[in-house]
Amino acid sequence: MGPRQGPCRIQRRMQEQLCRLRTHATMEPVVLAANRQMSVLHPIHKLLKPHFRNTLDTNSTARHIVIGSGDERQGGAFYRNMHEVNFFTGKYGMEMSSKAYASYNFTELAFPNELIKRGVARGDPKKAEELELLIKDYPYAVDGLEIWTAIKEWVTDYCAIYYADGDGAVAGDSELQAWWSEVRNVGHGDLRDAPWWPAMDSVDDLVETCSTIIWLGSAYHSAVSFGQYAYNGFVPNRPTITSGEMPADAKAAVTEAEFLGSITPKTETFGLMALTMNPPVKPGEPLMGERPDTEQWTSEQRAAKALLEFNSKLDAIAEAVKKRNADGALRNRNGPVEVPYTLLAPRADPTVPHVGGIPNSIAV
């Protein structure tokens, strides 16, 4: 670690590792266990399937190109294992991830719990619509709570159809129990005995767990991932690595050439830009609430009706986000550079090219 790597950069890198753990890494054992333990006709598999789309393929590609081990550049061309080669953490990146994972807690990833833990909200996390935000003009929290509430209402309505007999129906569902057992005991084997795991013996546990999974694979991933190009697109704004000694005199002038010569090299810069320059939402990518198999996914009319209601709520949230972004009194919605906060806009806006909506899953 070079002499210019200060505690702020280390903390930021840890936060980046945590975000990947909470999205890509959290979803993978859920997807694998669901496909191993639940029939495709199982109602919970049907509920969660749209949020699994392309996630395993995306993770596999990332392991190959982004987070693998060792420098595999050939002839100065684009290279693999970008993080280990080109981020200041170097070969310690995986160790940092392990340190971050030691504090992993699935229940804290439910959005209201996350806000409360970070000290920006207070109240009953089970009643997200009544949660008090301690920072009123906080776009991520305001938009996120509306989306979380809509997700949870949709999951509650859906589960009420298939688990009408209550907690006993959940506890007695062998496929569901096998799925959750594999997530906990195989997918997170080193944390299997942690006291915070949902017991999965009640409808409340099922609803909270499924809501958290949907939130992580869709809205949360969008919020922490799709704003990357605004920073990474101009690498001097956010160098991944610096080298060289700090000037002995804190007031000494540093030339542009000296600065550019000490940060991420040009070839690596192009690679980093390429990682984030693709549109976050590809044309045709199903957005939250959309199902390509809409007519075939269920014969249960109550479930189909609940999905329509979920989509109506998301449409209303999209309009509310636009109105808040247009409110000059909410200064944090646009910031000093006058770029509106749209990372949690659930619907694409054809009048604003960079607003692509929230995909159902971690597909990019």
Side-chain angles (χ1 to χ4, degrees), residues 111 138-148 215 218-224 226 288 314 317-318 321 324-325 333 341-347 355 357-358:
F111 191 50
Y138 186 4
Y140 169 67
V142 174
D143 298 353
L145 280 174
E146 288 188 356
I147 293 172
W148 168 268
W215 163 260
S218 56
Y220 181 74
H221 178 258
S222 294
V224 300
F226 291 168
M288 184 186 292
L314 292 174
I317 293 170
V321 169
R324 285 193 288 268
N325 284 345
R333 302 295 310 189
Y341 183 80
T342 57
L343 295 177
L344 286 175
R347 295 292 183 241
V355 182
I358 298 175

Side-chain angles (χ1 to χ4, degrees), residues 13 17 20-21 23-25 28 54-70 72 78-85 87 94 221 225 228 275 362-364:
R13 187 74 182 121
Q17 299 289 76
R20 290 186 177 88
L21 284 170
T23 54
H24 292 259
E28 185 155 324
N54 278 3
T55 297
L56 297 184
D57 180 63
T58 298
N59 285 4
S60 175
T61 301
R63 278 191 288 269
H64 244 342
I65 296 176
V66 182
I67 59 174
S69 176
E72 296 184 13
F78 183 75
Y79 58 95
R80 297 180 183 274
N81 308 328
M82 183 173 295
H83 279 202
E84 184 163 301
V85 172
F87 281 77
M94 191 59 69
H221 178 258
S225 295
Q228 290 184 80
L275 273 181
I362 301 171
V364 291

Side-chain angles (χ1 to χ4, degrees), residues 207-266:
V207 168
E208 187 79 358
T209 296
C210 290
S211 298
T212 302
I213 290 169
I214 293 172
W215 163 260
L216 293 174
S218 56
Y220 181 74
H221 178 258
S222 294
V224 300
S225 295
F226 291 168
Q228 290 184 80
Y229 188 70
Y231 297 96
N232 293 356
F234 183 63
V235 173
N237 184 54
R238 183 189 176 281
T240 60
I241 193 168
T242 58
S243 57
E245 297 292 335
M246 291 287 288
D249 182 356
K251 297 182 179 180
V254 177
T255 67
E256 180 178 301
E258 288 173 331
F259 171 67
L260 293 177
S262 71
I263 64 170
T264 315
K266 186 181 295 185

